[in-house]
Structure formats: C-alpha cells, structure tokens
Amino acid sequence: MWVAGVLLTGAWQPVAATEPAARQATPTPTSSTAVSADWIIGKLAQPVPMRTAFVELRESRMLKNPLRLSGEYRRPDEDVLVREVRAPYAETTTIRGGAATIERSGKPPRTFSLSRAPELAGLQASFGALLSGDRAALSEYYTTRSGGTRERWTLTLTPRVATTPPSTASTSATLKARTGPGSGLRDITLYGQGAELRCIETRMAGDPEPQRTLLASAAHAAGRVDDPARLAALCHVGVSAR
Amino acid sequence: MSPARRLALALAWLGLLLVAGWWIGQHLQVSGDLRKFMPSARTPEQKLLIDELGEGPGSRLLLLALSGDDPETLAGQSTALVEALAGDEHFTLVANGAASAGEAMLEAIPERLRPYRYLLTPTLDRHAFDAAWLADQLDARLQDLGSPAAALIEPLLPADPTLEVLALAESWQPEHAPQQLHDVWFDRAGEKALLAVQTTAAGFDPGGQQVAVGIIERAFAQARGDSSAQLTMTGPGAFSVEVGGRTQREASFIGTLDGLVFALLLLIAYRSWKAPLLGALPLASGGLAGLGAVALGFDGVHGITIAFGFTLIGVAQDYPIHLISHQRPGLSPWDNARALWPTLGTGVVATCIAYLTFVVSGVEGLKQLAVFTIAGLGVAALTTRFLLPGLIDTAENGGKLYDAAASPAMAWLWTKFASWPRLGVVAGLGLALASVAVAGFAPGSFWQNDLSRLTPVPEHLLALDGELRGELGAPDVRYLIVLQADDAELALQASERLQPVLQRLRADGRVRSFDLASRYLPSAATQRARQMRLPDAPTLRTALEDALVDSPFRSDVFEPFLADVATARQAPPLTAADLAGTPLAARIDGLLLRGDHQATALVALSGLGDPVAVAHAIEPFGAQLLDLKQASESLVAEYRVRLLWALALAALLLVATVWVALRDFRRVLRVLAPMALTTLLMLAVLRGLGVELNLFHLVALILAAGLGLDYGLFFDHAGDDRDSQLRALHAIVVCSLATLLVFALLATSSIPVLQAIGSTVAMGVLFNFVLALLIVRQTAVDRPPAPSSRDLARSRL
C-alpha cells in the first residue's frame, strides 16, 4: 500500500495527487457541468512517476512573517514521496515505509517514524485511497463534498470522527498534551481544474487561517508572490481567472 | 471391631488427611526463590546474585510475538495489548514501539523536572549557549517550522528553542529498536508484531511470573477476538512457567499412573481391595506431616526441597507392606507390629539420624529437607506401628487374611532364589573395586551443576527467544557488568567513566548495545559541571538578543526559555529519589541498586560476542563482568559439597545405629553390604553410560540406600526359618516391585529431572533386591512349625 505517509502534520500535503505534465496540457473537454466527488477522485488517480512544483505559506506565531517555501514534490515510485524545499533553504524529505528522512545541507540525515504523528494515521491511509482512486476506502475516513464545475472544482474532505482511529487513541492523548487542545484536523479542501489539482488547504481546529499549498500551474503562477491574500486568491481561483 | 468399623476408621483417617492437606495448602508458601534452596553466598559474585540481584534485569523481561494474521490486524492487537497491560501493577514496562517509549516517558515526567533537561543531556558538554550557537539553532528551528513536523515542534519552541526535550527523549530510546509497521514494532520479515514486557515479579519467582503470563494471555485472548493470530512468549519467566507447567503435568500424570499401579499391585499381592488403602495411608500421613513441619518451621519452602523430600520419603511406602506381609494366622496385628518394630524402627531411626546431618550443613534447603524427611518418615513409621494394626483384617477379627507363607507362588520363587549362589567377601570386594574404577575413570565431567539443564526449555522456544532478543535488542540474561561503590553518586560516576569504554566495545562489535543508569541520570558531579556551563540570566538574554537580530523569529517569544535555564542553573542536582513515581524510576531502579551502605550500578548488555575481551576491557575501571550462570552453578556445586559432607557423616551415624541395634559384626556387615555395593554399582553404571550426575541423582542414591538398608534388615530379621523367609521375601518382593514400577514409570518421562530420579531409583531397587538376596538371606532350615517371628526378634535384639 502507498504509505500514505504523506502527512505528518496537516500541513504536509498530498501533492502526489497532482498532474503529470502531459495531462496538464489537456483540459477536460466536457465543461460547465456540475462535478461529482466520484468524477474528481477518478481524475486524481495518477500513475507514477510524477513531479510537480509547489509553493507553500506557513504561518506561525513564532515568526515575524509567514514562511514561504517553494520547491518540488516528487513521487518516483508507488510508495515513495519526496518533498524538496529549494527556497528559502535546501531540505529534502523522503517518506518511505512509515518513516521520514530529512536531509539538510551540512547535517547528517535524520530519520523519524511517522507514528510520532498518530492522529494522521487515518490521513495516511485516506490519501493512499485518494491517489489510487479508491472512493470506498476514502469514505471510510471522510465525508466528501464536491462543488463548482469541472473547470473549477473543490473537494472538501471532513474527517468522519473528530478524534483519531481507536487504535491510536492512547498515543493521541500524548500528542494533544503537547500541542494543546484543538490541534486536530478540521477539514481539507482540494481546489482543481479538470484533472489538475492546483491547491490544497488544510484547516486545523483552532487555527483561523488554513495552511495552503499551491501546486502545478498555481505554483508557477505564484512566481515570487508572497502576499498571503494574493496567494489565497491564486489558490481559490482558476488559471483562467488570473 | 467389625470389618465395617475398620473400614470406616480407615476412611476417617483418609478424610483427616484430606483436611490436613487442605490446611497445609493454605499455609505453605512454595517459592522458586533460589535463595531458599542454596547455601549462603561466599564469593562476591554469589553475594551479588543472592543478596542483591536475585537475577539480572534481563530475566524479568518477557518477549512477545504476535503472528498468523496480516500485519495491520496484528498491529491493532499489539496496541490493544499495550492498552490492556500498561496500567497493570504486575508490569513495569510494556512497549510495542508505539508512542516511542522515550516520548511517552517524557510525557510522564512532571513539569517541575522539565528544566533539568539541560543537566541531563550532553549538549552543554559540547556547546556553549552563546549567540553563534543559538543563531545556528534558530536557523534549524525555522526549517523545522517549514517541515512536516512543524505542528509537533512549534508548541515546544518558546521554552525550548534548542529542542533539548527531543534530545532527551531520543537518548531514552532503545538503541536498536525494531522496524515499525502500522506504528508498532515488527520483526525484519514484517510477519511478527513484537512487544517487550517487564514484569514486576522477579525472574526467579515462578508464581509471580505465572500470574503475569496469565494476565498477558487473557489480554491477548481479548485482543485477538476471532482472528487467527497467535501469541508466542519467550524469556526466563515465560520459560519457567512453560517448563514448570510441563513438568507438573507430566509428574502428575505419571503420579496418577503410579497410584494405579501401586493399588493394583497391592490388590494382587494381598487379594484384598482394602490393601491399597491401608498401604497408602502411612505414606500420605508422612508426606503431609513433612509438609506441615516445614510449613510451621520455615517461612517458605523451595519447590525443589519438596520434590527431594517426597522422593526421599518414598521408602515409607514399604512400611505397611512389611506389616501386612508378615501377618500370619494366629498372630494379632498388634503383636505383629510389635515384633516387626525393632527391625522397622532400626531402619527408620538410622535413616532419620542420617538426615539429621543435613541440619548441620548450613544450607537452608537441606535443613528443610531434613525436617521434611524426619517428620515424614517418623510419622509414617509410627502410624504403621500404632494405628495401622487396628485396621488389618485377620481370620480372628472377622476379616480375611492373606498368608504369604501359604502361597505356592512364593514357595516356588523362594526355591528358585534358594538355588542362587551366595556372594562372598572376595567377590563383593572385587565388585566394589571394579565399580569404583568405572565410576572414577569414566570420561566426561562427574557433576552437572546447571540446574536448568534438568528442566530444559524446548529447542524451538530457545531459538525463538534468541531471534526475538536480537530483534528487540533485549539484554543478555547471562552476562551483566557490575560496578560497586559506597553510594549511588559514586556508582553513577563510575558508570560515567565506564561509558567511553562501552562505546568503544560497541564500535568494535564486541557488544551490540548496552544500557546503564547514568544514561538516564547523570551523576550529581556531571550535573553540577553542566550547571557551571549554563550562562547567567543577563548573559543568556544578551546572547539570545544577538542571535535574534536578522532572524525571522519574533524577539519576544522566548521568555519561557530564559526562565527554564535560570531554574536549571539554580536547581539542586537531580537524584534517583527525585524521580520516584515517574516512569524513569523503574528503569533506574533496575540498573542502580541502592543499599544502606553500598550501591551497585549494573550495565545490561545485549549481543555480547566476546565475554573475555569485555571483562578484560572493563577491569581497569573497577567494573566486573558477572556471569550469572557461573555464579549460580558455583552455588549448586557448593550445595552439593555440603550435601556430600553431610552424607559422609550420615553414613557413619547410620553404621553406628545399625551396630547398636544388631551388635554383631558379621550381621552389621551383611545388612549394610548390599546398600553400599548398590551405591557403588549405580555410580559405575551412571558414569559408565556417560551420565553427568546432578543433585537429583544424589537424592535418588540416598533413597536407594535407604531402601537397601530396609531390605537388608528384613532379610536379616527373617533368619533361617522358611516361613519367616517366605513372608519377608513376599514383603520385599512387593516393596521392591512397587518401588521399581513407580520409579520405572518416572524414568520414561521426557523431562530429564523426572527421568534422572526414576531411572536411578529403579536401578537402585533392582541392585538392592538382588544383592540383598545374594548377601543377607540365610540358608533356610525347613522345620515347621516355625517359632513366631516375635520370639526371633526378641532373641536377636
């Protein structure tokens, strides 16, 4: 199974769900029809290998300004996910087999287990389902709600239970104690255009603003933009509306 | 007294025994604690083993493997097991890798101890808290905030920008954790979910281990539901439960079979269905009396002592047989008992006096054994003398009597034996010399001191244990490094000095990993040295402000950090006592033993490849590699030496007792020769077959000698009268057949300890019987009617 490893935190995005370059060039012919979640999930299923650029804005009360990261997500293999940050620093994270390895320039690589974020056990599994187009498996963890048209759709995933799967209940208490109440995932919204996933918003309980990851054409369009409002607009609005 | 009345009395006696057995069962504390069995420790290793450790920390670890279903299901069961067991007082540690142990421990460390992190990690040994280092740390934290771990790390940063807490949690992780699948430990093949459980009960406490194993099994049954998964448990505790259970099952199966055989034999021998009941009562009374005496006189009794004791009082089984076989028409059972008493009594008294020597051995287990056997044999003999006659059927009291002297089969047998040659002094001496030669010169070691070899763990479980131990990096159960000092602080300092050596040994591959208390709790000296390196408040504030210039971090968020460092700088060094009640305490208490005048630091080792090299490398640091196996074996050897001295003394006392009873050099020689020769012959056979003798062989030899003494005494008692000889022959044939069958069945056991006792005693019975016939039996003079055996006994004593 794809380890899903995708998410260590809500900010770790299922980028592998983005388009290979070849398909990005082919807009979906049928337009202006209302979309169903099934249609979107069918479109998002992707073969490997694939890669896509990203731009991510991270806000933290510890920082004077939001942290703007850019780089590339790669999925060289079914069960490997690479997140390469190129700016403002160089860092490569490889997720494979339930563990993440972080390499930073001038430091020895560090490996830690994904199990340190037990709340995301469900997310890990669900994104595997998303990438393989397995609607049934996805429904196990989320209720899905679709909106918009095939040219400009949204897919909102809301966790079925606010808490974590029972198998990780005891460990999640540990994590909650550390990160404070309300740190759980509220929902994830995917923004897309035809078969292209353009943006992911992850909303954590207690955070006013979602964390955004812009992908593919949206990431290219973001260029050197670092204003949160403009990035949010790029995330929400299709390329044509640029 | 009518036959019905006698039967009622016999049943009442049986009922009384059952009640007494129940009472003793309530009061007797059987323990597997080696200390109840072994002589007091002499060498420093033995002292450590007995007084301090009991056993090494590795011996309290149970290794669990779940297999037989898909990994995800197994992982769920593993988590359910941890949830079920984690809060249980029977376990000090339950780990399956989830919520990595270190972090879980960190969570349970109270807030007041958090500032100590700067004194517990080695960070300050390598870095100063200056502007350059802090700036470097802040750069790394920025990357953390942009990383997948941001949500985990962000809340920690205000108080801990250097992430000391994570460094601490990491240093508490097992060094070689297995791989994780679905958040829990799995073996390399990904087929078995692995767990490590440390019991509160010591490894040498089979009762405690049994409770722990039972709780785990029930928890697993609950977690498993209807899945096909299976639980395998290894580790010393699991083995002791498994092997103890198997030994008990086999012993009780053979015991039941023995009971049936014994009953059947008496039924045939006396043509009476009451005979088995009468035959069993004195032995059962003796056994219970022995247990009761031990229960009254001692705090607890070792399981091995009970096993030895019941083996040794097996000789009491013969007492009622002698009485019933010697019963003849016209003689009241009371007179019969009175007539036999000098002979029976000589055997009992001689044996009891011999066992008295165990009391002076200075070994707790042997003292208990002496009390058990003396009380047991005494009561069995006294009940045979003073109670049993009242229950025996004779023609005169309305019952039916079987007279052995009237049996044609016995007469035929007697004629057969009468044609056997006599064994002369020269032939006897020759046989003795040959036996000594064989026993002395047989190749291989004479003694086997490894008691665990007597109840061996099945091969496949041992292999699995080795595999799991390797996968989990669990500590070695045999070797352990020991550092002794005047107090805990000095012991911790010594551990710290040893740490670089251990790291080098690990780098060289001589050990795979090690664990010691100073890893969790540095010495106060080290903590103070780190405090000295912590900057004071103004210096740290300036350094932090310098580091924050041009940093994306806000400058006002790190106040909690400044406060924590100030606290750490002033705090009195953390001691083991401060950690009481935290999960860290369990680990430290297992590795740092604190006595009133001494402290012992232990280093648990895993993957020890070259004990000699390790022992050599650590020696200059005042540390010692303890071989627990060798220490316990040397104790067994010491037990045996004491036992042998006691036996030598016992042999002298026994000869003296028989001498006092018989007062005739030739008769004493004749009575004692069979048992002496038998002992030598048995040694020769065992050694000739390459058997390494253990304590159980020794006990079996003692029992055989006791039987031989009785055979000799009763053949001697029969004199040259044909009928008396016939009855004595009947008694001894029944006795020896019963004992032979009982122990021959035991000899077929698959468990070496039962086999050792069974085969040795069975062989002893055979030799004793044959040699008694060849040496003691006198040529019979056929002159009916015979004088009463009572007159004979009187004339002799």
Side-chain angles (χ1 to χ4, degrees):
Chain A
M1 176 187 121
W2 185 68
V3 190
V6 207
L7 300 185
L8 250 189
T9 75
W12 183 257
Q13 306 300 351
V15 285
T18 51
E19 273 288 52
R23 286 180 68 180
Q24 285 178 21
T26 333
T28 323
T30 42
S31 47
S32 57
T33 358
V35 288
S36 68
D38 285 335
W39 183 86
I40 297 170
I41 291 164
K43 282 289 169 197
L44 286 178
Q46 298 295 324
V48 291
M50 54 83 40
R51 60 201 298 161
T52 183
F54 78 89
V55 171
E56 215 169 287
L57 206 61
R58 312 293 293 269
E59 285 179 87
S60 165
R61 64 190 179 88
M62 301 291 296
L63 301 174
K64 292 169 188 158
N65 299 304
L67 180 60
R68 182 188 194 275
L69 304 171
S70 61
E72 188 177 74
Y73 278 117
R74 288 192 295 273
R75 207 174 144 227
D77 228 322
E78 279 293 335
D79 54 0
V80 181
L81 180 67
V82 180
R83 173 191 194 250
E84 187 185 336
V85 178
R86 291 179 180 155
Y89 51 81
E91 179 191 83
T92 305
T93 308
T94 308
I95 294 183
R96 188 198 310 260
T101 304
I102 300 184
E103 288 167 273
R104 289 175 181 170
S105 54
K107 302 257 167 68
R110 287 172 40 131
T111 300
F112 57 93
S113 168
L114 290 184
S115 63
R116 282 166 70 169
E119 271 146 332
L120 300 161
L123 276 185
Q124 293 172 13
S126 64
F127 277 92
L130 188 61
L131 290 171
S132 55
D134 186 347
R135 174 74 201 270
L138 192 65
S139 305
E140 216 180 291
Y141 299 100
Y142 298 103
T143 52
T144 54
R145 185 163 40 83
S146 56
T149 61
R150 289 186 178 180
E151 298 83 58
R152 225 169 97 187
W153 50 259
T154 60
L155 180 66
T156 306
L157 307 176
T158 312
R160 282 198 178 273
V161 270
T163 53
T164 53
S167 69
T168 53
S170 64
T171 50
S172 72
T174 301
L175 195 80
K176 282 229 174 65
R178 192 178 320 127
T179 52
S183 65
L185 175 72
R186 204 159 77 195
D187 57 34
I188 299 168
T189 308
L190 312 179
Y191 294 87
Q193 184 173 28
E196 184 191 38
L197 176 63
R198 298 181 27 93
C199 182
I200 304 167
E201 278 184 357
T202 308
R203 210 181 298 265
M204 305 299 281
D207 281 349
E209 273 294 296
Q211 300 272 20
R212 286 191 188 91
T213 302
L214 279 64
L215 299 159
S217 60
H220 290 298
R224 302 221 54 78
V225 177
D226 57 6
D227 173 45
R230 282 192 61 201
L231 284 174
L234 276 174
C235 175
H236 296 161
V237 181
V239 181
S240 52
R242 191 164 16 146
Chain B
M1 201 157 46
S2 71
R5 183 98 185 273
R6 281 195 298 275
L7 180 64
L9 279 177
L11 291 176
W13 185 349
L14 189 68
L16 209 63
L17 289 181
L18 290 176
V19 172
W22 174 83
W23 183 85
I24 290 169
Q26 301 294 306
H27 289 81
L28 189 69
Q29 284 190 322
V30 181
S31 93
D33 191 336
L34 277 179
R35 287 175 279 196
K36 294 246 184 292
F37 173 71
M38 292 293 183
S40 47
R42 282 202 197 153
T43 67
E45 291 85 5
Q46 292 174 353
K47 281 210 175 82
L48 195 72
L49 178 74
I50 293 295
D51 299 339
E52 306 250 2
L53 286 179
E55 280 170 30
S59 68
R60 290 194 300 152
L61 207 58
L62 295 174
L63 312 176
L64 278 55
L66 309 180
S67 59
D69 210 325
D70 63 276
E72 205 164 347
T73 311
L74 295 177
Q77 293 171 355
S78 165
T79 310
L81 259 185
V82 169
E83 274 166 25
L85 301 178
D88 198 299
E89 56 175 6
H90 293 91
F91 306 102
T92 54
L93 171 79
V94 183
N96 69 346
S100 32
E103 279 179 42
M105 274 162 70
L106 198 63
E107 289 310 321
I109 299 293
E111 203 59 49
R112 69 186 164 87
L113 297 180
R114 290 288 173 95
Y116 277 103
R117 60 185 181 269
Y118 297 105
L119 308 185
L120 302 185
T121 63
T123 309
L124 276 160
D125 304 348
R126 297 194 279 261
H127 306 284
F129 276 28
D130 56 20
W133 188 69
L134 287 174
D136 195 45
Q137 286 291 304
L138 288 175
D139 281 350
R141 293 303 86 80
L142 183 68
Q143 298 196 20
D144 288 339
L145 285 182
S147 84
L152 284 181
I153 285 168
E154 192 190 46
L156 302 176
L157 293 188
D160 197 5
T162 64
L163 286 188
E164 224 54 51
V165 160
L166 290 191
L168 202 56
E170 241 156 57
S171 74
W172 291 343
Q173 298 274 11
E175 282 184 74
H176 290 278
Q179 70 155 328
Q180 295 202 328
L181 295 178
H182 308 287
D183 297 342
V184 302
W185 286 334
F186 265 83
D187 66 338
R188 274 184 285 272
E191 288 165 356
K192 297 190 194 98
L194 306 178
L195 296 96
V197 174
Q198 195 168 43
T199 58
T200 313
F204 57 68
D205 173 8
Q209 291 293 335
Q210 183 142 29
V211 170
V213 165
I215 291 171
I216 293 174
E217 278 170 350
R218 279 194 298 280
F220 174 70
Q222 195 103 45
R224 175 170 67 171
D226 48 9
S227 135
S228 60
Q230 289 189 332
L231 167 72
T232 327
M233 244 183 282
T234 74
F239 290 159
S240 82
V241 172
E242 151 86 19
V243 169
R246 205 161 58 95
T247 309
Q248 209 162 21
R249 277 195 300 280
E250 199 156 326
S252 73
F253 172 72
I254 294 177
T256 312
L257 214 58
D258 274 343
L260 288 174
V261 166
F262 179 70
L264 205 64
L265 191 77
L266 293 199
L267 202 65
I268 295 169
Y270 299 111
R271 319 283 196 275
S272 157
W273 60 268
K274 279 187 216 167
L277 177 62
L278 299 186
L281 283 172
L283 177 65
S285 308
L288 286 175
L291 278 182
V294 173
L296 285 178
F298 299 88
D299 283 340
V301 54
H302 195 282
I304 297 180
T305 303
I306 294 185
F308 281 2
F310 269 105
T311 310
L312 287 178
I313 65 161
V315 69
Q317 179 186 295
D318 294 357
Y319 300 165
I321 295 178
H322 287 300
L323 185 71
I324 305 174
S325 278
H326 281 86
Q327 191 61 46
R328 62 187 161 84
L331 180 71
S332 99
W334 298 105
D335 287 339
N336 181 24
R338 203 172 300 128
L340 281 178
W341 185 241
T343 307
L344 191 69
T346 303
V348 174
V349 170
T351 320
C352 287
I353 288 178
Y355 289 140
L356 263 182
T357 57
F358 289 1
V359 175
V360 298
S361 65
V363 180
E364 174 83 1
L366 285 177
K367 282 185 204 169
Q368 293 185 354
L369 193 58
V371 169
F372 184 97
T373 47
I374 291 172
L377 292 181
V379 166
L382 289 173
T383 51
T384 306
R385 167 70 183 83
F386 294 108
L387 294 180
L388 204 59
L391 305 180
I392 288 178
D393 287 351
T394 62
E396 289 78 16
N397 68 17
K400 202 164 69 91
L401 172 75
Y402 171 78
D403 183 12
S407 155
M410 271 297 124
W412 175 83
L413 203 60
W414 182 81
T415 324
K416 275 274 166 203
F417 287 144
S419 64
W420 284 18
R422 302 292 297 265
L423 190 69
V425 177
V426 179
L429 276 179
L431 197 59
L433 278 177
S435 302
V436 169
V438 172
F441 295 112
S445 64
F446 201 94
W447 298 110
Q448 167 63 263
N449 292 330
D450 185 356
L451 283 187
S452 66
R453 292 273 289 275
L454 298 176
T455 48
V457 178
E459 204 59 45
H460 72 276
L461 277 182
L462 273 186
L464 183 68
D465 185 59
E467 189 192 316
L468 294 182
R469 216 159 269 284
E471 296 265 9
L472 282 164
D476 201 283
V477 286
R478 179 170 175 184
Y479 291 101
L480 179 71
I481 292 175
V482 175
L483 280 159
Q484 286 182 310
D486 289 342
D487 59 35
E489 167 64 12
L490 291 174
L492 285 172
Q493 289 179 16
S495 305
E496 285 168 347
R497 284 194 294 275
L498 191 63
Q499 237 162 320
V501 185
L502 294 167
Q503 277 154 4
R504 208 179 59 235
L505 287 168
R506 186 176 54 192
D508 296 348
R510 299 208 192 273
V511 297
R512 186 153 166 264
S513 65
F514 59 87
D515 197 11
L516 71 181
S518 58
R519 186 178 146 204
Y520 308 100
L521 179 68
S523 68
T526 299
Q527 293 183 54
R528 274 192 216 99
R530 286 173 185 164
Q531 277 181 323
M532 302 285 284
R533 305 197 61 175
L534 277 174
D536 60 27
T539 314
L540 183 63
R541 185 175 289 278
T542 314
L544 184 65
E545 277 164 5
D546 287 353
L548 284 167
V549 175
D550 299 333
S551 154
F553 282 96
R554 286 162 55 179
S555 55
D556 56 348
V557 291
F558 293 110
E559 287 305 318
F561 167 58
L562 297 173
D564 270 8
V565 171
T567 309
R569 213 165 163 267
Q570 302 298 329
L574 198 64
T575 64
D578 298 325
L579 290 167
T582 70
L584 215 48
R587 289 216 198 174
I588 292 172
D589 289 348
L591 292 167
L592 183 66
L593 312 170
R594 304 184 292 281
D596 289 338
H597 308 290
Q598 211 190 23
T600 307
L602 307 176
V603 184
L605 300 169
S606 78
L608 184 71
D610 187 348
V612 178
V614 171
H616 191 71
I618 61 171
E619 207 195 327
F621 296 84
Q624 188 190 9
L625 185 71
L626 183 64
D627 182 346
L628 293 171
K629 184 163 178 279
Q630 204 221 328
S632 73
E633 280 181 21
S634 71
L635 276 172
V636 171
E638 192 151 327
Y639 180 99
R640 192 191 58 233
V641 169
R642 305 265 191 108
L643 183 63
L644 287 173
W645 277 112
L647 284 180
L649 187 59
L652 288 178
L653 288 174
L654 190 130
V655 172
T657 314
V658 175
W659 176 267
V660 168
L662 302 182
R663 297 197 199 147
D664 176 334
F665 178 73
R666 292 186 61 88
R667 281 179 69 199
V668 170
L669 200 64
R670 269 211 310 269
V671 165
L672 295 179
M675 62 175 269
L677 257 183
T678 295
T679 307
L680 293 178
L681 267 176
M682 286 164 73
L683 282 175
V685 170
L686 288 171
R687 294 294 304 129
L689 291 173
V691 177
E692 292 174 2
L693 302 186
N694 57 52
L695 285 178
F696 287 87
H697 285 115
L698 215 49
V699 168
L701 283 167
I702 301 171
L703 170 62
L707 294 168
L709 176 67
D710 279 358
Y711 299 170
L713 282 169
F714 276 95
F715 268 127
D716 175 75
H717 165 90
D720 56 4
D721 172 62
R722 182 180 178 276
D723 280 2
S724 293
Q725 280 205 4
L726 271 174
R727 292 190 189 99
L729 181 65
H730 183 266
I732 293 168
V733 164
V734 174
C735 289
S736 48
L737 258 184
T739 318
L740 185 70
L741 285 174
V742 163
F743 284 91
L745 275 174
L746 210 56
T748 62
S749 165
S750 65
I751 295 166
V753 61
L754 302 180
Q755 206 185 8
I757 296 180
S759 58
T760 313
V761 176
M763 179 165 62
V765 170
L766 208 61
F767 288 167
N768 270 319
F769 179 76
V770 172
L771 285 171
L773 265 179
L774 296 185
I775 295 172
V776 191
R777 174 187 51 93
Q778 297 174 31
T779 312
V781 184
D782 211 347
R783 47 152 195 256
S788 80
S789 53
R790 179 177 162 189
D791 298 339
L792 271 173
R794 280 209 180 132
S795 69
R796 277 159 202 227
L797 279 159

